[in-house]
């Protein structure tokens, strides 16, 4: 390989819509991956960092530690293998089998043009973090996490709301100690809060560090979208993000899905620094995934913008 592969880190808790985000990234790059334990395509490979858990499920029962805990993850191997991939080398990557909770035999991962390393800890360890060209943290405040988890676990697993709350509380200390601190080191943060109009509506923020690796996008003016309830407000402001100056583009509320094309086109017209391949790339991408989760709120819009910026980063680094 003449150019070093582009390394994108996505740090997020489980159950936060990473698969839809990946579809948006693939769309922006104009490529596909074959689903499998490790999703691989002719341009992009997705590495799930759960594969670097040291113990299987039974082993964690014995240690009494959660998968979020730093001692349950092999950061030395993770860092060494991400560095090897960055150098264009093949690796034998461990496999953690989510279905059985066991460790399966390792698999051969060949070099590729883009690697998305996603999971609980891509930005936690300095060695792995130093290999990333762009690091993204998906930041979900507890109220939103609870609402999403209730939706999923009550429907899919037959849990009660109390069981969901207990599960979140049980994970909270390790999440706060080992996962959440990564957001201060991320280049860009996608943050979910309850809307000013209350849940289930969302306020989604794109928090961009100034002078960082993420190519900044800004809003020309505040926008108000009307039509269906609750409507949406988009605005931009500066804030301090753990000691780093940042520019925030925020969307509170929802697009009118009956007028989606017009409303997204209006947003796209008022964004600066988007650097789309065409004047309607963002609108086209949003319409293509109209039925995907989050397309009506800031989730879809800001994920689609991040996806375009990943492509811009790739183009810049491989030019």
């Amino acid at each position: 390989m003449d150019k070093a592969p582009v390394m994108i880190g996505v740090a997020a808790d489980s159950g936060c819509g990473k698969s839809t985000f990946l579809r948006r990234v693939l769309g922006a790059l104009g490529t596909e991956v074959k689903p499998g334990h490790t999703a691989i395509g002719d341009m992009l490979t997705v590495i799930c960092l759960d594969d670097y858990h040291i113990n299987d499920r039974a082993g964690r029962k014995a240690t009494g530690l959660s998968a979020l805990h730093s001692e349950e993850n092999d950061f030395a191997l993770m860092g060494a293998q991400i560095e090897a991939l960055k150098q264009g080398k093949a690796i034998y990557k461990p496999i953690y089998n989510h279905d059985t909770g066991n460790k399966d035999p390792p698999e051969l991962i060949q070099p590729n043009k883009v690697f998305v390393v996603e999971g609980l800890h891509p930005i936690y360890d300095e060695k792995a973090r130093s290999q990333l060209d762009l690091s993204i943290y998906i930041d979900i405040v507890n109220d939103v996490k609870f609402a999403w988890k209730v939706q999923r676990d009550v429907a899919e697993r037959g849990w009660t709301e109390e069981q969901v709350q207990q599960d979140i509380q049980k994970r909270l200390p390790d999440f706060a100690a080992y996962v959440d601190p990564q957001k201060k080191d991320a280049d860009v943060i996608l943050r979910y809060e309850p809307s000013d109009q209350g849940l289930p509506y969302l306020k989604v923020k794109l928090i961009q560090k100034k002078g960082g690796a993420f190519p900044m996008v800004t809003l020309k003016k505040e926008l108000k979208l009307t039509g269906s309830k609750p409507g949406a407000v988009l605005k931009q402001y500066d804030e301090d993000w753990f000691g780093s100056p940042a520019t925030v583009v925020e969307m509170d509320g929802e697009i009118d899905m009956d007028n989606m094309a017009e409303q997204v086109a209006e947003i796209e017209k008022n964004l600066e620094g988007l650097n789309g391949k065409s004047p309607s790339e963002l609108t086209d991408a949003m319409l293509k995934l109209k039925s995907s989760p989050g397309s009506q709120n800031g989730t879809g819009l800001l994920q689609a913008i991040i996806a375009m910026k990943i492509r811009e980063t790739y183009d810049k680094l491989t030019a």
Side-chain angles (χ1 to χ4, degrees), residues 29 43-44 93 104 107 125-126 128 157 163 165 205 305 307:
L29 287 167
M43 179 184 185
L44 181 142
K93 181 185 62 57
D104 288 351
E107 63 175 340
D125 184 69
E126 211 284 318
R157 299 176 178 173
Q163 284 173 305
Q165 190 61 271
K205 300 177 175 182
I305 290 172

Side-chain angles (χ1 to χ4, degrees), residues 241-277:
W241 183 256
F242 297 97
S244 298
T247 295
V248 182
V249 173
E250 170 191 300
M251 176 171 161
D252 188 333
E254 297 189 349
I255 291 165
D256 178 359
M257 294 306 269
D258 292 334
N259 295 303
M260 185 184 188
E262 295 84 347
Q263 292 201 342
V264 179
E266 188 187 349
I267 296 168
E268 185 162 21
K269 205 171 64 205
N270 282 286
L271 288 169
E272 279 197 270
L274 195 56
N275 296 335
K277 293 268 190 206

Side-chain angles (χ1 to χ4, degrees), residues 13 27 223 241:
D13 206 352
L223 294 177
W241 183 256

Side-chain angles (χ1 to χ4, degrees), residues 79-129:
Q81 292 203 331
I82 290 174
E83 183 179 51
L85 291 171
K86 183 72 175 153
Q87 292 167 351
K89 297 173 182 168
I91 60 166
Y92 273 101
K93 181 185 62 57
I95 291 181
Y96 177 80
N97 186 322
H98 284 101
D99 295 331
T100 63
N102 296 330
K103 305 280 284 182
D104 288 351
E107 63 175 340
L108 180 65
I109 301 294
Q110 298 284 7
N112 212 338
K113 294 176 186 147
V114 182
F115 285 92
V116 173
V117 292
E118 59 88 4
L120 295 167
H121 306 100
I123 318 171
Y124 177 83
D125 184 69
E126 211 284 318
K127 176 77 175 251
R129 184 169 71 235

